[in-house]
Amino acid sequence: MKPGSGTLVINIMSEGKAETYEGVYQCTARNERGAAISNNIVVRPSRSPLWTKERLEPITLRNGQSLVLPCRPPIGLPPAIIFWMDNSFQRLPQSERVSQGLNGDLYFSNVLPEDTREDYICYARFNHTQTIQQKQPISLKVISVDELNDTIAANLNDTEFYGAKPSKERPPTFLTPEGNESLKEELRGNVLSLECIAEGLPTPIIYWIKEDGTLPVNRTFYQNFKKTLQITQVSEADSGNYQCIAKNTLGAVHHTISVTVKAAPYWISAPQNLVLSPGENGTLICRANGNPKPRIGWLTNGVPVEIAPDDPSRKIDGDTIIFSNVQERSSAVYQCNASNEYGYLLANAFVNVLAEPPRILTSANILYQVIANRPALLDCAFFGSPLPTIEWFKGTKGSALHEDIYVLHDNGTLEIPVAQKDSTGTYTCVARNKLGMAKNEVHLEIKDPTRIIKQPEYAVVQRGSKVSFECKVKHDNTLIPTIMWLKDNGELPNDERFSVDKDHLVVTDVSDDDGGMYTCAANTTLDSVSASAVLRVVAPTPTPAPVYDVPNPPFDLELTNQLDKSVQLTWTPGDDNNSPITKFIIEYEDAMHEAGIWHHQAEVSGTQTTAQLTLSPYVNYSFRVMAENSIGRSVPSEASEQYLTKAAEPDQNPMTVEGLGTEPDNLVITWKPLNGFESNGPGLQYKVSWRQKDGDDEWTSVVVANVSKYIVSGTPTFVPYLIKVQALNDVGFAPEPAAVMGHSGEDLPMVAPGNVRVNVVNSTLAEVHWDPVPLKSVRGHLQGYRIYYWKAQSSSKRNRRHIEKKILTFQGNKTHGMLPGLQPYSHYVLNVRVVNGKGEGPASTDRGFHTPEGVPSAPSSLKIVNPTLDSLTLEWDPPSHPNGVLTEYTLRYQPINSTHELGPLVDLKIPANKTRWTLNHLNFSTRYKFYFYAQTSVGSGSQITEEAITTVDEGKMAMASRQVDIATQGWFIGLMCAVALLILILLIVCFIRRNKGGKYPVKEKEDAHADPEIQPMKEDDGTFGEYSDAEDHKPLKKGSRTPSDRTVKKEDSDDSLVDYGEGVNGQFNEDGSFIGQYSGKKEKEPAEGNESSEAPSPVNAMNSFV
């Protein structure tokens, strides 16, 4: 035995034969408190015996007959692994016709001539001893019908054959198992393997069914060309009758296998250590199950309890030991043994009776430093019996800290979920039990977070220039930050061109290699922050010299040195077009998995024309090359010839492995499948493994293909699991994957929040408090708490209408929330429920509360009816939301005169029970504006406004009508029109008389135009053309403006009615004034002598008259 430990070492190499140490071992550990014993440990030496010598006769069969080649390997420990090979150590091919049974025999449903060989060899491999034993070769000769006839003719005395007829087709019969029925027992948790192998011609096909049930989904697998049915993780539910059916074209035969699942003992509840103080009570519970039901036995300190010293405080009741009024002498180690014919379980539980005052194990005066707004955890590890209670205090005179702000953990730790500056101070942990008290002080300091207040910014600079990145950091004065600059997440180049001062990184003489991402990282002992910016380097502005362009594509691609995982690619560069080629980019296409899609393979210097490329297995490669210079990248070259690499096992496992239950009793495992390129070979599958994180269970595994999801059923609710997904193909397995953690499905919470309290803040706002539910009862991820609230009835009993419930959800582990938008003076009812990812838990007890009065809403309506000379009657409906008891109405009104000016305001109070009011002694024919609102004891509500006019006194109306502006009367307008017409006639007569007997000279400019209305005014000053008596008195020319009959035609007159606005082209201003052809022109100055001035517009004349 090793010194200082309980490990027993047996050195077989120097201390005798292994068989000497064969047996059952058990370890016992003992001290003054008791003795613990281990499980039985069975030691058996491995054995790999040789095959017994035997003489094997050659076998000769007719084509089509069935055959069983026996293996009968020697019995070894552990059992051997059987396989059939030939003399060249090549595995013999197997198929639906030829297959190896579970017992190692080789079965032929029917033989064919190609089965003839002399080296059918059965091998037994004993892994533990790393040896392989070989059976004597078996010779088999299959004779066709023609060969058989020749043999009979040459050997007439041969009696081994019954004729030279060919083997007829025949229905199936079973080679194994024999008969129509058989029995099979298997232990719970193992893999159940059922086998049926049939002979027949044609070769039969095997089918499997379960009588009175279905084969379990996701646990059923077929091996050996469906001749073997395997069910993983069998349980008692898998017991029953399974039927295999062999079928070919001539018939079918079936065999029933009755399966019974037995079980070695397994724990339902193993006993747990128990710490009691003198005089306390306790229990040890040991519950196990199995098939058959296991027997429970108790031992104390390794001795069966029946013969152990008596303890009056101990009482055994089957699988439970009950302790009453224990004393210190009751301390012992108890063993629970659960056993049946298939195995046994043993568990130790220490019953420790102690009387210990509290002790605090955490060191005193520890200083905790925490960044503001982060959680703070203050430790207080303790021990004592009875179990001490823990309280925390802040400061010297503070009261005990409670869980409304703090979180008190069972291990004594105090958690401040969001530490603030005022959380700084001294905290005292006090542990108490009936034997004493202990306390310990720790100190907490809250530090300001480190922040980058000026971050580096994206920059684009030319080659050879300088660039500067700024990074200003603000931090707690008591913390010393360390500023570090990184380039592309690595250290800065060791180059004197890079310089760092307090807040800046400066790079001089920038080159192309300096481009990338620059990160400023600030670290303190408590936190760290970082910020990044990208530097892009561009070429200087080119001078207009030769024309540059991207290179021409490479050509003449050739593949050489073709190996399994590499190949050499050679090419000829194209023209660089006056800019040297800086690099070549090589891309590949996988014609097998992603035809038409090109991927980046490698980059090489612009001086190279060959590249050694690393390849992946099982890919049909084609390559192309692109050249790049400072201008850009060429078009791709022509594709190379194709090259198919050999298959290999996967070199990576699926990514994004997750485990999340969709139901309370399942675990859905998902992953991102490998693509065809990543599979490395045909037959891509996934080995999915899982086990509970907090248990000692072995890994459970299944192999699936062509899926990215697997559902594990029958799991406990919301339990953490470790999950692995490993890729494999026909060649082998990928590396062992890392385990990730997931959770089985959530279920609805079981417990409602308790101690619901409501604090009414004001008439529209209430604050709700509740106690959080235990996290174990949430049975899922806690998402928050949800408040349902509704208005039951109004306190004024005016509105008992039940409205729909409203919902407010508060995220996280909050214990209070605000209810806004409440109706004043109302009775509300609410309850609180906890919410997880599955849904809501039960509702808490309904809690009612009242909101106080508020100000009312505006009256629902206001109408003015029955207007008279001096009175108006107002009718209204009360406010739709009185929000309390109405005390009165307030009516304010004021007159409005004809210029819309407001008169004095009159206030009037009206009792709350009125809905109609008449105002007397008002002015007649006067518009009034009314402001009307209701009031409660809290104050005034919103107002409603309306306007109305008192009626007109008809007697005074007649007098008022005589005072109307004369300019608006019809007779006056008619008179003005007559005067205007008279003036127009006089003007026409004046023009006629003026031109009678005289000449009518017209400027040459006017004669050049056929239409005199086109240019009636001078171009320079806009005045009319002049009409005067010249010295040359000549008769009027033909075509002159005035005809011989002295009449003025409309189309010939410069002063037509159209010009004065009475024609179709007349226009009016917005106020109705006329806009004529001459509007906007200056009137001509009065002419000297007898020359007449320009006639005024009739409208202007009328306006001036008025």
Side-chain angles (χ1 to χ4, degrees), residues 1050 1057-1067 1074:
K1050 177 179 178 181
L1057 290 178
V1058 173
D1059 295 333
Y1060 288 115
E1062 296 183 6
V1064 296
N1065 294 327
Q1067 300 179 12
F1074 175 75

Side-chain angles (χ1 to χ4, degrees), residues 928-989:
Y928 285 89
K929 186 167 186 178
F930 299 92
Y931 312 89
F932 191 63
Y933 53 87
Q935 290 178 280
T936 64
S937 60
V938 177
S940 303
S942 302
Q943 67 180 14
I944 185 171
T945 61
E946 188 58 81
E947 294 185 9
I949 305 175
T950 55
T951 57
V952 180
D953 187 340
E954 294 182 358
K956 295 183 179 182
M957 183 66 186
M959 183 182 297
S961 65
R962 291 192 295 272
Q963 298 175 357
V964 176
D965 189 354
I966 192 172
T968 64
Q969 303 304 304
W971 64 268
F972 182 76
I973 295 174
L975 177 61
M976 292 298 100
C977 292
V979 172
L981 181 61
L982 181 60
I983 293 174
L984 179 62
I985 295 173
L986 291 175
L987 288 174
I988 294 174
V989 172

Side-chain angles (χ1 to χ4, degrees), residues 27-38 300-303 333 335:
C27 174
T28 301
R30 188 184 308 274
N31 64 11
E32 67 274 6
R33 289 284 185 171
I37 60 176
S38 70
T300 177
N301 295 327
V303 178
V333 180
Q335 291 83 31

Side-chain angles (χ1 to χ4, degrees), residues 324-448:
S324 304
N325 191 24
V326 296
Q327 302 303 318
E328 288 195 37
R329 64 178 180 274
S330 300
S331 294
V333 180
Y334 287 83
Q335 291 83 31
C336 174
N337 186 340
S339 59
N340 64 12
E341 59 187 279
Y342 297 105
Y344 87 104
L345 296 173
L346 181 72
N348 291 278
F350 180 33
V351 178
N352 193 4
V353 181
L354 290 175
E356 290 284 342
R359 283 184 290 157
I360 294 180
L361 308 179
T362 301
S363 300
N365 295 314
I366 294 178
L367 174 62
Y368 294 91
Q369 295 181 328
V370 177
I371 296 297
N373 298 318
R374 294 186 182 180
L377 296 174
L378 309 182
D379 295 329
C380 181
F382 62 92
F383 178 76
S385 180
L387 186 68
T389 59
I390 300 298
E391 287 185 309
W392 280 90
F393 298 86
K394 182 181 179 185
T396 56
K397 298 182 181 180
S399 58
L401 304 180
H402 299 290
E403 292 194 2
D404 52 350
I405 300 176
Y406 303 90
V407 179
L408 302 178
H409 293 275
D410 293 340
N411 64 355
T413 297
L414 174 67
E415 178 181 355
I416 307 174
V418 182
Q420 303 293 339
K421 277 290 189 179
D422 58 4
S423 302
T424 299
T426 299
Y427 291 79
T428 303
C429 167
V430 178
R432 292 186 177 92
N433 67 10
K434 63 183 181 180
L435 299 179
M437 181 266 287
K439 65 180 181 179
N440 185 38
E441 288 186 352
V442 296
H443 308 282
L444 176 63
E445 292 182 356
I446 307 301
K447 306 295 185 180
D448 291 325

